[in-house]
Amino acid sequence: MNFDDHLFFCAPSRLIIREGARHDLPALLAKLGYHSGILVTDSYFAEQTPWVSEYVQAAGKCGISTYVFSGGEPDPSTTLCDQATQHILAQTQDQTPDHVIALGGGSNMDLAKALTLTLRSKKPVAHYKDGIGNDEPLPFIAVPTTSGTASEVTPGAILIDPDNATKIALMDNRLRPFIALVDPQFTYTCPPRVTADAGIDALIHAMESYVTMDSNQFERNNNPDPGYSGRTHLSKMFARESMMLCARHLRQAYLNGADSQARIGMSYASVFAGLSYGSAGLNAVHGIAYSIAGLTHETHGRTNAVILPYVLYELRENRLQELKEIAAIFGITGQGHEHEHDTVLQLVRTLQTLVSELGIPNNLKDFGIKEADLPRLYADAMSVTRLRNAFAVPDTSASYLRIIANAWAGEFTDTPLAVLRHVQESQEACTSE
């Protein structure tokens, strides 16, 4: 154990993981004294499943009135949030609810987190782009239907600003759910592609937080209540458990969604990964993936997955011990120091294969990125400074160049010269202009 950890750990007040746990939520909220709630979901869950109506009826019997907003959308926008705020307040006669529930994946939870602020303050969500200040959000209950985002245990929400196609991040520990209720039964009907996208995201959260910046080196900017604060012994414990569960259950959950043990295993894997990265933070995988998404408009899980092996390969010097530990989780064991490089290479190629088996391209070229797009991809990735600064390498600029060049070619080399030279020349041309 590292006694030099600068541990700062936040988690939901109540974390519940159990098949059928959703049936206990109304009684729990009634015991805690709640009376009037908003349930944020989307049309699929409201119209194609019995889950919403079942909850509303059961909550009513416990003396809790619930207004259902079913207008959730993938990658919610600031416009949607503001429209939802006005709609809900109009439908509830401008009465502020005493709690907000999200049922769905990460997008529904992002919207609901934002609504915990805007429904109470009645301010537009853009007001919070630089922080939530002294505005206290409403109590938030997260009920995820996928195993991957772990938004049910993390402090942030991402919304799209349609005016400039940028993302607004709401980040504050007060946005963490005070109840995270994880019922694996919600995931049983999750289609294969969503299962793959969410599941690989859980694995990436665990891996990325396992190799991120140490807590005693993490820049907190004098924030006494940081959302992310670097990896610690505790965060690594959660990450290891998540990786072991993903190694055991991710493929099976994708191939056979009816396998309840695989589904339950991935539910735990997602939460454990969230407890790790929700404290430690993330770095280059997500930082570069945001730029890939901007070019391809592919889903979050897929854009993370395509870049993952190449980011880990870049860490083979600075995080060698951790990569060997991850390799062992996947059954890869090297013999002696002279084979350490081979162990890392086996690991990243194993992950390449896993990405392909989940139906996701394993290189940027096959992902639709053109060589001419690489300078923009590099520049956009470097602009995500929070994630770039958490990448544990001496020179992030050079590392990002190598990662992107390798990922485009689908190779693991020390100096991917041809593509690297193209990106560097383009950057130099832009600088000289």
Side-chain angles (χ1 to χ4, degrees):
M1 178 173 178
N2 180 12
F3 289 104
D4 197 29
D5 277 348
H6 294 185
L7 180 62
F8 190 97
F9 187 77
C10 294
S13 299
R14 291 165 181 83
L15 172 59
I16 304 160
I17 310 176
R18 180 173 56 80
E19 284 190 291
R22 64 185 182 277
H23 300 300
D24 297 336
L25 183 58
L28 174 58
L29 292 177
K31 177 180 173 60
L32 295 173
Y34 293 98
H35 302 285
S36 175
I38 304 298
L39 193 156
V40 179
T41 189
D42 55 51
S43 59
Y44 172 78
F45 293 117
E47 299 168 10
Q48 303 298 320
T49 77
W51 299 332
V52 173
S53 60
E54 284 176 356
Y55 172 78
V56 171
Q57 292 172 18
K61 292 177 181 178
C62 292
I64 302 171
S65 63
T66 306
Y67 178 78
V68 176
F69 177 78
S70 59
E73 299 174 356
D75 300 318
S77 67
T78 54
T79 302
L80 173 63
C81 180
D82 291 338
Q83 290 174 343
T85 302
Q86 297 307 313
H87 173 82
I88 292 169
L89 290 174
Q91 294 299 312
T92 57
Q93 285 76 54
D94 222 33
Q95 296 297 308
T96 303
D98 58 24
H99 65 281
V100 175
I101 302 172
L103 174 69
S107 291
N108 287 350
M109 285 189 274
D110 281 351
L111 176 60
K113 284 181 181 179
L115 289 170
T116 65
L117 287 166
T118 60
L119 287 173
R120 174 173 269 178
S121 71
K122 301 177 176 59
K123 297 174 183 175
V125 71
H127 177 80
Y128 299 107
K129 64 183 177 65
D130 296 319
I132 72 174
N134 295 322
D135 287 354
E136 192 68 26
L138 291 165
F140 175 49
I141 300 96
V143 185
T145 58
T146 62
S147 299
T149 69
S151 187
E152 66 271 14
V153 295
T154 59
I158 303 292
L159 300 178
I160 304 296
D161 183 347
D163 291 336
N164 53 22
T166 59
K167 293 183 178 181
I168 289 180
L170 307 179
M171 197 70 61
D172 195 284
N173 283 321
R174 288 169 289 174
L175 293 174
R176 294 180 191 266
F178 87 99
I179 297 176
L181 189 144
V182 181
D183 186 338
Q185 289 179 350
F186 281 132
T187 69
Y188 288 2
T189 56
C190 202
R193 175 158 175 165
V194 178
T195 299
D197 284 11
I200 196 69
D201 201 25
L203 177 60
I204 291 166
H205 287 154
M207 287 186 172
E208 201 172 0
S209 62
Y210 196 68
V211 298
T212 198
M213 191 74 70
D214 288 320
S215 62
N216 57 14
Q217 298 175 341
F218 195 92
E219 179 53 63
R220 302 185 189 190
N221 297 312
N222 297 316
N223 184 353
D225 189 30
Y228 301 112
S229 51
R231 68 174 188 169
T232 63
H233 182 74
L234 182 63
S235 72
K236 290 172 70 178
M237 285 171 53
F238 283 119
R240 278 194 296 268
E241 187 67 23
S242 177
M243 287 186 284
M244 286 189 286
L245 288 166
C246 287
R248 190 177 308 142
H249 297 297
L250 175 52
R251 279 190 188 88
Q252 182 64 9
Y254 171 67
L255 295 171
N256 180 12
D259 187 328
S260 61
Q261 290 304 297
R263 291 293 196 181
I264 294 170
M266 286 307 299
S267 291
Y268 275 96
S270 176
V271 170
F272 291 158
L275 291 172
S276 179
Y277 95 83
S279 171
L282 301 168
N283 48 79
V285 176
H286 276 68
I288 299 173
Y290 289 152
S291 303
I292 297 170
L295 288 169
T296 64
H297 305 291
E298 283 279 3
T299 61
H300 180 69
R302 291 167 70 85
T303 53
N304 279 323
V306 71
I307 202 71
L308 170 68
Y310 308 97
V311 171
L312 293 184
Y313 184 73
E314 183 65 22
L315 288 168
R316 64 196 179 279
E317 300 295 335
N318 297 86
R319 288 290 185 262
L320 177 60
Q321 180 57 38
E322 290 85 347
L323 293 176
K324 288 163 58 181
E325 291 165 2
I326 295 172
I329 289 172
F330 282 83
I332 302 165
T333 55
Q335 302 297 321
H337 293 295
E338 67 273 14
H339 297 293
E340 288 176 339
H341 179 78
D342 292 340
T343 300
V344 174
L345 199 55
Q346 277 185 265
L347 170 64
V348 294
R349 285 176 174 162
T350 296
L351 293 173
Q352 246 190 347
T353 300
L354 174 60
V355 169
S356 295
E357 289 175 346
L358 295 175
I360 303 170
N362 65 24
N363 64 80
L364 294 179
K365 192 183 300 184
D366 291 346
F367 214 69
I369 303 275
K370 297 179 174 59
E371 189 171 0
D373 295 327
L374 298 181
R376 175 187 165 188
L377 175 60
Y378 168 77
D380 289 348
M382 287 291 289
S383 71
V384 187
T385 54
R386 175 178 64 87
L387 298 176
R388 187 189 77 206
N389 291 342
F391 194 39
V393 296
D395 184 348
T396 53
S397 176
S399 287
Y400 270 38
L401 282 171
R402 284 191 294 268
I403 290 166
I404 290 169
N406 273 332
W408 189 79
E411 299 174 351
F412 300 102
T413 62
D414 295 341
T415 52
L417 292 176
V419 178
L420 186 61
R421 189 177 298 114
H422 171 73
V423 178
Q424 288 174 318
E425 289 172 353
S426 297
Q427 291 301 308
E428 291 168 0
C430 291
T431 303
S432 64
E433 291 173 3

